[in-house]
Amino acid sequence: MTAAAVPAASPASTGEQSGVRLARSRRNAELSLLLLAMVLVAAYAAMVEAKALDTITPDFWIPAAALGLVFLGLHLVIRWLAPYADPALLPAVALLNGIGVGFLRRYDLAKATPAEREDLAVFAGTGGRQLAWTLLAVMLAAALLAILRDHRSLSRYAYTLGLAGIVLVMIPAVLPSRFSEINGAKLWIKFGSFFSIQPGEFAKLALLTFFAYYLVRKREVLSLASRRVLGIDFPRGRDLGPVLVVWLISLLVLIFEKDLGTSLLYFGMFVVTLYIATERVSWLLIGLILFFGGAYLAYLLGSTVGGPFANFYDRAQIWLDPFAEPYDRGYQLVQGLLTLGTGGLFGAGPGGGQPALLPEVQTDFIFAGIGEEIGLFGLSALLVIYLLIVERGLRAALAVRDSFGKLLAGGLAFTLGLQVFVIVGGISKLIPLTGQTTPFLSAGGSSLMANWLLIALLLRVSDGARRPVTGAGGPAARPAGGPPEQLHGAPTEVIRP
């Protein structure tokens, strides 16, 4: 009697029966979301022209198409160099970047006279420059993906990057005010009257890389507890050195660079990275006490001693009561609050606001200018997009195998979220005004390039987290979840044929 022929099991069914999960690159999903984002950007541009010009010009779609080509190029680079990267990061950032370019084009229309508006070229003005900066920023992100094939190789240059970050932070502080100060904050390096860069935007990436490497090496020591108070384990006094050093640096930034937001950003990203490394809530409490205590001390010294503390004292006074001098020192904040109030829940519609009346609407107050036209609901949608980017970054931090990658991705995601909080908190009077820009929306090359580099790093870490690991028995991916030693017996992944 002959045995019946048994059909060979397909790779997919074999994987399902053995508890193996199939891994996909999800690049097609990324492409679909990217195309949807560009359709939304084109629709936004059409609505702006319909409201501001009472007509839609034949070339309204050109900026969206140009952005689409730029982002499509980056998509192809990701498909080639980081095929397992998170598929939601690029479309989300592309949508924010596109809305930023569209609003800056709307700002150019608001500044032009009625006779000039219909003839205003789509690549002219602030919107055209932002489009050029986007091209350069995306090219830098693609170059970083091409050069950095493994995020762990950054740890080899941690001390060099840390030193470079400190130098970049110090340069504006030591330069004369005429070469570094804009709107009261010394955050810039000015080359003449037409070009300036903000080195602090790049310093945050360099310093965060150093923080991640340092805390990987020292986390066991920093995790030790000396005593337990109210259920919280506090560190030993001798281990407070690193936090105190970074705290002093952040206070020097607050005093000599005259910006609360930058100071909070540097100190906050170190404390949160320290918390991720040690899982000690006490470090968060210590960080909050140190920072707000130092800021309050600077405020008191500004009211009594003056000198380098005077600028921070003035900003705090404007924050406490901007309507005390609504046409002088408090004018910018008052106009921002009135603009947000004018927008209401649904806004005046794209192109229906008056952004030319709001000082610095193209940089510091772009969130308020956009809010006048899309309202509270529209701003909430933008914040959800930012939240999505932060969440995908944190997910990459949880999924990646190595400790350096976890701290790097977690720190990058938190830094982006903190920067959004600082600028939105400033224009809504939650905290004093800062010199920070809204990521991907505000005009300016430094912020745009630095934040696209940040996204490139998150893409590289997420690619490493989701990429299948080739073992001796064939291609098999890392088990989903924590480090390998905690996941014995968990199902693994294989590449779908």
Side-chain angles (χ1 to χ4, degrees), residues 20-23 401 465-471 474-480 490-495:
V20 175
R21 188 177 57 181
L22 301 175
R401 292 177 290 278
R466 302 175 69 246
R467 178 180 292 274
V469 178
T470 303
R478 170 197 56 83
T492 57
E493 300 174 351
V494 297
I495 304 175

Side-chain angles (χ1 to χ4, degrees), residues 161-170 172 198-211 257 262 265-266 269 415 450:
L161 291 171
L163 178 61
I166 293 175
V167 171
L168 289 173
V169 170
M170 291 176 56
Q198 192 171 354
E201 292 286 345
F202 302 96
K204 68 184 180 184
L205 301 179
L207 289 174
L208 190 55
T209 303
F210 169 72
F211 292 160
E257 297 193 356
T262 303
L265 187 66
Y266 293 153
M269 68 184 188
T415 299

Side-chain angles (χ1 to χ4, degrees), residues 400-414:
V400 73
R401 292 177 290 278
D402 63 290
S403 298
F404 175 75
K406 289 181 181 295
L407 295 184
L408 181 63
L412 290 170
F414 172 80

Side-chain angles (χ1 to χ4, degrees), residues 8 13 20 26 42 50 96 135 149 244 254 266 282 288 306 312 322 327 330 353 358 409 437 448 451 483 488 490:
S13 62
V20 175
R26 304 306 297 271
L96 291 173
L135 173 61
R149 298 302 181 93
L244 294 176
L254 174 65
Y266 293 153
S282 56
L288 290 173
F312 176 68
Y327 297 103
L358 182 59
T437 56
L448 196 60
N451 285 303
H488 294 301

